[in-house]
Amino acid sequence: MDFSAANTTLWNVVIQLGMIAGSILVANFLRQRIAFIRGSLMPTAVIAGFLLLILKHLGVLPVDNAFLEILVYHCIALGFIAMSLRVSKKEKTGKGDLTGLKSGAVIVSTYLVQAVTGLGITLLLAYTVKPDLFKAAGILLPMGYGQGPGQANNVGMTYEALGFAGGRSFGLAVAAAGYICACVAGVALLNVLAKRGHVHPKGEAKEELDLSFFRDEGEIPTADSIDKLSVQLAMVLVVYLATFLTTWGLTSGIAALSEGLAKTVNTLLWGFNFIIGSALAIAVRALLERARKAGLIRRQYQNNYLLNRLSGFFFDIMIVAGLASIDLQDLRGLWLPFALLAVGGGVVTWLWLRFVCKKVYGGYYYEGLISMYGMLTGTIGSGILLLREIDPDLRTPAANNLVIGSSFGIILGAPVLVLVGLASRSALMCFVTIGLALAYGAVLTLLICKAGRKKKKD
């Protein structure tokens, strides 16, 4: 075997990962040293992604787009699997407290508002100034803003295969605009609220971490014949292998039953393989808990701290690779819909959240509002970053609501995936999708408002 630089297959992975790692380190240095960048609250991974994107288009670095696309696809699934394997810690809540469910309803209802807004914009453009526009492109707004670059990448690729030229880059560009909206517009909104006396920005949090932050009682020992991190990574990779086998089995079975159904469903199954991965990870977590209670295993194999670090690592790589793989040439002719979606998405998300958060987070309305806005235009990370400006010690339940609400959001958000597939079929189906989104949104809003009134009565 040739181990020299001439063997590009051997060294390309190292070169691409090295460039990603280098961009993260440079971005972290810039964020620490330049006050303007630090004040923007933009995550280091986002800065690194933009930095790599600029250097790629200047011809400075040999970025391999195909490799980055593969990295984005796998990292989103691996990140969600690592999150889903974490052992849930039962928290003391009031009897009948439905805040987690209501937070999930807030999240999914915002997806639906973004979807209706996005489809409304692209349909209007398609029937006026841009007749060649892919009419379902607007549904990439909730994928990019609400769910982040991984989903925008997957749905964009699916739509590209269905005829939306530049769909993947368009989706990733929308996700990038979401980060800017979360960080720049979010900080601006914080300043406005501060001037009006609604919030009071505080200093940095004081971290007081005890041993329980790093490990739970009854876990496998840190010093053993195998490193604890290796065990966590092995579990994640085994679940991902099971995800591949399960998805392959499902798509093969559907193809055997109906080729027409397979053309519609199989692409979505492979595109949303992280949902199957999350479900399998939750099942594995439940099996391990039962096996431990039955005495079949003596120790807890998962370590939440390390699984959090793994999911953070995968998501950081996904964000950098996703942004760096945007092809600006693919956006030619799409700048108008992109600009309208970017601005419209930020505005309607803020207005909608101002309404629903008041119904759910009575005692900490502004903390709930700011954190949800950061997450539903960016990621959980940007939501936490904004929240820390007014709640540095995370004393309110706002941060916890993002995590628990996202778990409920996976269940409540399942119909959104159906809408994604439905909208791409035809212009008529786009209008049907809007109608279904409004109907489902009304149901979720009723749930939020009814629960809110019940809480006030109590």
Side-chain angles (χ1 to χ4, degrees):
M1 182 177 181
D2 180 11
F3 296 105
S4 71
N7 189 343
T8 54
T9 303
L10 174 65
W11 287 105
N12 186 55
V13 175
V14 176
I15 293 168
Q16 300 301 315
L17 291 177
M19 289 190 296
I20 290 173
S23 68
I24 291 174
L25 293 176
V26 171
N28 186 61
F29 176 81
L30 293 175
R31 197 176 189 279
Q32 296 298 322
R33 295 292 180 177
I34 301 176
F36 171 75
I37 296 177
R38 185 170 63 253
S40 72
L41 298 182
M42 192 172 291
T44 299
V46 177
I47 299 170
F50 282 129
L51 180 63
L52 205 54
L53 176 64
I54 293 169
L55 293 175
K56 179 186 77 171
H57 282 280
L58 290 175
V60 176
L61 294 176
V63 175
D64 184 347
N65 266 23
F67 177 80
L68 295 186
E69 290 174 19
I70 293 171
L71 211 54
V72 171
Y73 178 75
H74 289 310
C75 281
I76 185 173
L78 291 167
F80 272 100
I81 289 170
M83 286 181 64
S84 301
L85 280 171
R86 294 177 305 178
V87 177
S88 59
K89 295 182 179 180
K90 295 181 180 178
E91 297 182 318
K92 295 179 181 179
T93 58
K95 187 178 180 180
D97 186 12
L98 298 174
T99 305
L101 176 61
K102 290 184 286 183
S103 295
V106 167
I107 292 168
V108 178
S109 67
T110 306
Y111 293 165
L112 296 168
V113 168
Q114 291 171 339
V116 170
T117 302
L119 285 173
I121 289 172
T122 52
L123 283 169
L124 179 63
L125 291 174
Y127 285 110
T128 53
V129 296
K130 288 196 66 64
D132 60 334
L133 180 63
F134 189 76
K135 295 177 179 63
I139 212 165
L140 285 168
L141 179 58
M143 297 298 105
Y145 271 47
Q147 299 196 7
Q151 281 288 69
N153 175 81
N154 291 349
V155 176
M157 279 198 301
T158 301
Y159 279 10
E160 205 166 80
L162 295 173
F164 181 20
R168 180 183 169 279
S169 291
F170 186 80
L172 286 169
V174 170
Y179 279 118
I180 295 172
C181 188
C183 300
V184 179
V187 172
L189 290 167
L190 268 177
N191 290 330
V192 170
L193 292 175
K195 286 181 180 179
R196 294 179 180 177
H198 296 309
V199 297
H200 305 282
K202 301 175 177 65
E204 293 184 0
K206 296 178 181 178
E207 286 194 343
E208 297 178 1
L209 305 177
D210 56 22
L211 188 61
S212 64
F213 179 81
F214 299 99
R215 64 188 298 266
D216 294 333
E217 187 177 348
E219 282 188 9
I220 57 175
T222 303
D224 203 353
S225 58
I226 184 171
D227 190 272
K228 187 181 283 190
L229 177 61
S230 301
V231 175
Q232 313 308 307
L233 186 57
M235 287 191 292
V236 170
L237 293 176
V238 166
V239 172
Y240 196 35
L241 174 60
T243 301
F244 165 76
L245 294 173
T246 302
T247 309
W248 176 66
L250 287 172
T251 53
S252 299
I254 292 171
L257 290 173
S258 169
E259 290 187 8
L261 181 62
K263 288 180 180 178
T264 303
V265 176
N266 287 3
T267 304
L268 286 173
L269 285 174
W270 285 113
F272 295 105
N273 73 326
F274 72 94
I275 294 179
I276 297 173
S278 296
L280 289 175
I282 292 170
V284 168
R285 185 183 71 196
L287 285 173
L288 288 173
E289 287 176 1
R290 289 195 174 190
R292 190 180 174 199
K293 288 179 181 179
L296 297 177
I297 57 175
R298 294 179 300 166
R299 299 279 190 174
Q300 176 182 304
Y301 283 84
Q302 305 101 301
N303 177 272
N304 285 357
Y305 174 75
L306 292 177
L307 287 170
N308 281 333
R309 301 286 69 77
L310 279 175
S311 65
F313 168 75
F314 289 128
F315 287 143
D316 281 342
I317 297 298
M318 177 201 71
I319 291 167
V320 177
L323 295 177
S325 64
I326 294 174
D327 192 339
L328 297 178
Q329 296 297 320
D330 286 345
L331 297 178
R332 286 180 300 179
L334 295 173
W335 290 109
L336 178 59
F338 167 71
L340 291 176
L341 287 177
V343 175
V347 173
V348 299
T349 300
W350 175 255
L351 294 176
W352 178 251
L353 288 174
R354 282 188 63 181
F355 168 70
V356 290
C357 288
K358 203 166 278 187
K359 306 291 183 183
V360 179
Y361 311 121
Y364 49 98
Y365 165 62
Y366 288 106
E367 288 85 355
L369 171 62
I370 287 297
S371 59
M372 278 291 176
Y373 183 75
M375 183 177 77
L376 289 168
T377 51
T379 62
I380 287 181
S382 51
I384 295 292
L385 282 170
L386 290 177
L387 177 63
R388 281 186 179 277
E389 291 297 303
I390 55 177
D391 183 16
D393 294 307
L394 302 181
R395 295 185 185 278
T396 66
N400 196 47
N401 290 339
L402 299 183
V403 179
I404 298 176
S406 295
S407 300
F408 280 98
I410 292 175
I411 300 169
L412 294 175
V416 177
L417 301 182
V418 177
L419 298 181
V420 169
L422 191 65
S424 64
R425 292 186 178 182
S426 66
L428 175 61
M429 287 298 102
C430 286
F431 287 105
V432 171
T433 299
I434 290 176
L436 292 173
L438 289 172
Y440 187 39
V443 172
L444 293 176
T445 304
L446 185 63
L447 169 65
I448 293 167
C449 293
K450 188 175 180 180
R453 285 198 299 270
K454 184 179 178 181
K455 186 176 180 181
K456 285 181 181 178
K457 289 178 182 178
D458 293 341

